[in-house]
Amino acid sequence: MPNSDAIRELVSACVGQVGAPVTALRKITETHGHIEDEHVRIVADVFNLSLADVRGIVSFYSDFRTSPRGRKHIRICQAEACQSVGSRALTKEISAALGLALGETSDDLGVSLEAVYCLGLCASGPCAMVNERILVHATREELLP
Amino acid sequence: MSRAEAKRILVPNETLANALGADNLARESRARGHEVVRTGGFGLAWLEPMLVIDGEAYGPVHDLDALDAVALGPLDELPALARQQRIVFDRCGRIDPLEYDPSWLLAQLEREPREIIEEIKVSGLRGRGGAGFPAHIKWQTVYDTPAPQKYIVVNADEGDSGTFADRLIMEGDPFRLIEGMLLSGHATGANKGLVYLRSEYPLAAEIFTSAIARASTLGLLETFDIELFIGAGAYICGEETSLLESLEGKRGEVRAKPPVPAIAGLFGQPTLVHNVITLCSAPGILQMGGKAYAGIGSNASTGSSAFQLAGNVKRGGLYELPFGISLRELVEDLGGGTRTGRPLGAVQVGGPLGAYLFERDLDTPLGYEEMAQLGAGIGHGGVVVFDDTVDLVEQAHFAFAFCAHESCGKCTPCRIGAVRGKEAVAALASGEYTEAKLEVIDELCDLMEQTSLCQMGGMTPIPVRSALGEAFSPARRNGNGERP
């Protein structure tokens, strides 16, 4: 897990790029999984922004989370094209099996369930992602083997 | 296929095809000694992974030893391709996305900017992202506005459900977009181009990044700089002013217009903001001439559009067709009707802010004005099919819920209206005081349409009204005036 110095280095490397604060937060999310208070302070410091500015950015974008996701991170598309081929029923089934609502993570951090709005595979729904793996024509069996 | 008959096989390196096993097929083909070219996808979703060997198509391929069972015949005779008029996507699927001969582009970049803008004007090209605004007016405005720095900003924040054209072209022919950026930069006097790509498209990001490096090697980026920016999961950032805020590293809150971005856009400088497909249409226009392009399509909707057929449909995918084709031809003839085989329930055209249309609307030609007459729009070209099990009240509820989830929060009608709308539609389920509730929803929709700062709040009423209008139409009600 990267320490503060590593995070600062990551953030500093974004200086000068277009949209740098957003990019910096994305890189933190990619390497660390979620954004902690300490990271917010670093981003604010590096870009000379207020803590409120940075928290505002974090809360605005759905890719940025402030709590860890599960080791198995399930995302199921909730948008219309997937709705038309049963994503609501699939979500209900997975949600019931895991005992998690969309947006929740299990206490042991084993699994998290999240909504995603469109993966751009809309002729092959329902679509889902398990960590980085993309599933089309997704079924309960594939999501919860 | 044995080693003895080594062949040249086109295997798509495209997100959908890879999810269905194309990566493995490529590996296995190479292991058997064949020459493998990783191309883009053709966008024919039901045939993926589709391989092309000596001009013959095979798909969906799951087993290299059983190709005959999925032989589709000559690629160019596939009905789904033969009926298309591919201008933007002419190379996509046929080429290695990083192989590029720049001679045509370099010749075009010698042309006078005014001449290029004139071709775009004559072509009648309109924005393919949703608004349908004449492209040449933006080009001319950026050209005419003096400034120390001008920008080309590409909107690749393809968030509409039912759309994937931007992804397909960026994965399959990234140089088409680079051509559009360089040509528009040359024509407007911009020397910096930024691509705002959504984070849900990692393969597109990877391929486009390689294409930028390749363009640089080819000497194409000596006077024009291209940077790729990855979004962070916000549908609203597809709205151009929200996108600009996000590109400046801030919350993606929309800006009031005027000033339009063509005058004061990114960092307050003149900025040409276009959807991927709009910019990707420019090379084809300059190739065939604006007049020839204007001869394609119908009425004020000129040229081709990348229609994307999605949802509950048998043969979904990308169909680049001239404007003017009817919804019925697209959904029934090309699409083959619903995947479930049930009767059609509804089609939503133009993404989450688009209207729900029904069987009686299917003969409407797909053109900007023709759809406007139905109170609908083409949006980014997405057409989502539902069968007759669709619950239109649930869809209206989702339209409000999506708006509440994605609203940037800057203006009250959208931020609060969407939440109130969601509650009001949920309350319809009780079946009591239906007329009064529908009236409240109607008034709320008026308010959102008239007073929202951008189209997120301004257009959410479109799916709501079209869905509820049908769900509570006299024909669908029983004697009590309640839902059947």
Side-chain angles (χ1 to χ4, degrees):
Chain A
M1 195 167 283
N3 59 24
S4 293
D5 288 342
I7 294 285
R8 185 173 285 272
E9 202 174 308
L10 198 69
V11 172
S12 301
C14 299
V15 172
Q17 293 178 22
V18 165
V22 173
T23 302
L25 291 165
R26 189 169 52 74
K27 296 218 156 143
I28 294 172
T29 306
E30 281 168 11
T31 53
H32 188 68
H34 69 284
I35 294 161
E36 296 188 18
D37 283 351
E38 174 63 12
H39 306 154
V40 171
R41 277 192 286 275
I42 292 170
V43 173
D45 185 44
V46 170
F47 295 106
N48 196 22
L49 296 168
S50 71
L51 288 177
D53 281 334
V54 181
R55 278 189 216 288
I57 299 170
V58 171
S59 67
F60 187 85
Y61 296 95
S62 59
D63 285 358
F64 299 152
R65 44 187 303 147
T66 51
S67 58
R69 64 182 211 184
R71 286 181 294 279
K72 178 172 180 173
H73 184 52
I74 303 176
R75 304 203 288 170
I76 307 175
C77 181
Q78 303 296 312
E80 293 92 334
C82 285
Q83 288 168 357
S84 75
V85 284
S87 69
R88 284 193 182 97
L90 178 69
T91 307
K92 245 181 228 163
E93 215 180 323
I94 300 293
S95 182
L98 293 173
L100 298 173
L102 286 173
E104 289 183 349
T105 304
S106 66
D107 291 338
D108 65 355
L109 299 184
V111 59
S112 47
L113 183 63
E114 206 173 71
V116 63
Y117 292 92
C118 200
L119 298 169
L121 305 161
C122 314
S124 312
C127 302
M129 284 184 84
V130 176
N131 298 340
E132 304 312 313
R133 193 163 69 96
I134 292 170
L135 302 176
V136 293
H137 303 294
T139 59
R140 184 206 152 120
E141 290 67 36
E142 279 178 293
L143 288 168
L144 297 177
Chain B
M1 296 182 296
S2 69
R3 272 176 204 282
E5 36 179 341
K7 294 194 182 306
R8 187 169 181 268
I9 307 182
L10 308 189
V11 185
N13 179 26
E14 180 263 330
T15 305
L16 174 63
N18 284 343
L20 292 164
D23 269 337
N24 293 335
L25 292 172
R27 249 193 311 273
E28 206 183 314
S29 302
R30 282 198 183 108
R32 293 182 183 201
H34 299 294
E35 180 196 351
V36 170
V37 181
R38 296 306 299 269
T39 60
F42 285 92
L44 309 176
W46 74 102
L47 297 178
E48 295 293 358
M50 185 171 96
L51 310 189
V52 179
I53 306 167
D54 295 333
E56 298 280 319
Y58 302 85
V61 177
H62 300 296
D63 179 357
L64 285 175
D65 292 317
L67 285 180
D68 287 347
V70 289
L72 300 166
L75 174 71
D76 293 313
E77 290 171 25
L78 282 182
L81 279 182
R83 285 195 53 185
Q84 297 191 42
Q85 185 162 6
R86 291 196 161 209
I87 300 170
V88 170
F89 285 86
D90 60 343
R91 299 189 298 228
C92 191
R94 300 169 189 271
I95 55 160
D96 174 338
L98 300 179
E99 289 290 321
Y100 186 67
D101 173 1
S103 47
W104 176 81
L105 177 60
L106 290 170
Q108 291 294 314
L109 292 173
E110 296 294 319
R111 294 176 71 175
E112 281 297 312
R114 283 178 184 284
E115 206 184 304
I116 294 179
I117 296 178
E118 184 60 23
E119 290 287 357
I120 299 297
K121 182 177 179 180
V122 170
S123 76
L125 177 67
R126 296 166 70 173
R128 301 286 191 255
F133 188 78
H136 75 92
I137 297 179
K138 289 188 183 180
W139 292 42
Q140 189 69 51
T141 307
V142 176
Y143 176 83
D144 287 338
T145 309
Q149 177 70 59
K150 297 179 185 180
Y151 295 102
I152 303 296
V153 166
V154 182
N155 187 343
D157 192 44
E158 183 171 56
D160 283 5
S161 175
T163 65
F164 37 81
D166 299 354
R167 177 179 67 72
L168 283 172
I169 200 78
M170 287 183 71
E171 289 176 352
D173 190 6
F175 273 94
R176 176 83 342 144
L177 180 56
I178 291 174
E179 287 171 348
M181 293 177 77
L182 287 173
L183 290 165
S184 59
H186 173 65
T188 58
N191 65 3
K192 173 109 184 135
L194 294 143
V195 179
Y196 190 105
L197 179 68
R198 64 199 301 255
S199 61
E200 289 84 350
Y201 288 176
L203 184 62
E206 186 190 312
I207 293 174
F208 195 74
T209 302
S210 305
I212 296 174
R214 180 93 185 107
S216 182
T217 320
L218 290 170
L220 290 170
L221 302 181
E222 276 156 22
T223 55
F224 190 89
D225 183 41
I226 298 180
E227 205 174 314
L228 178 68
F229 177 87
I230 311 290
Y235 176 75
I236 191 62
C237 289
E239 196 280 334
E240 61 178 5
T241 64
S242 161
L243 183 149
L244 293 173
E245 287 288 302
S246 185
L247 261 184
E248 293 181 9
K250 300 182 252 179
R251 288 165 66 88
E253 287 184 5
V254 302
R255 299 175 183 170
K257 287 192 277 194
V260 293
I263 290 172
L266 188 66
F267 301 114
Q269 302 300 313
T271 306
L272 183 72
V273 188
H274 268 316
N275 169 256
V276 171
I277 302 299
T278 317
L279 273 181
C280 288
S281 300
I285 289 168
L286 295 179
Q287 215 152 28
M288 71 171 73
K291 206 173 162 199
Y293 190 84
I296 303 166
S298 70
N299 304 323
S301 308
T302 60
S304 66
S305 179
F307 294 110
Q308 298 133 80
L309 191 54
N312 194 333
V313 64
K314 275 202 187 83
R315 296 189 293 271
L318 177 112
Y319 294 92
E320 185 176 352
L321 297 161
F323 281 106
I325 184 176
S326 75
L327 262 173
R328 192 179 302 283
E329 286 171 274
L330 185 63
V331 173
E332 293 184 354
D333 299 353
L334 290 165
T338 64
R339 194 200 290 172
T340 47
R342 297 185 62 91
L344 182 106
V347 284
Q348 189 183 23
V349 182
L353 305 175
Y356 286 94
L357 300 177
F358 306 96
E359 169 62 39
R360 61 177 176 276
D361 304 313
L362 290 189
D363 294 313
T364 312
L366 283 159
Y368 294 106
E369 277 69 30
E370 292 85 348
M371 294 306 285
Q373 276 177 8
L374 288 180
I378 287 186
H380 183 44
V383 175
V384 175
V385 180
F386 293 78
D387 71 14
D388 62 345
T389 61
V390 62
D391 181 339
L392 289 166
V393 177
E394 202 171 15
Q395 295 312 119
H397 184 263
F398 176 76
F400 274 131
F402 187 68
C403 183
H405 186 264
E406 301 290 347
S407 174
C408 82
K410 181 149 177 170
C411 76
T412 315
C414 175
R415 184 183 66 241
I416 309 282
V419 178
R420 290 289 173 261
K422 193 171 76 162
E423 293 163 359
V425 175
L428 278 173
S430 73
E432 291 177 339
Y433 306 109
T434 301
E435 287 310 323
K437 285 171 189 159
L438 286 173
E439 211 171 298
V440 167
I441 294 167
D442 203 40
E443 281 176 21
L444 183 64
C445 285
D446 282 341
L447 181 103
M448 288 176 72
E449 272 173 358
Q450 290 158 15
T451 60
S452 294
L453 204 48
C454 82
Q455 302 290 38
M456 179 88 226
M459 285 173 66
T460 290
I462 293 175
V464 170
R465 282 189 156 131
S466 54
L468 292 181
E470 177 72 8
F472 293 96
S473 67
R476 281 213 184 188
R477 295 182 183 208
N478 61 24
N480 305 323
E482 300 300 337
R483 291 178 71 203

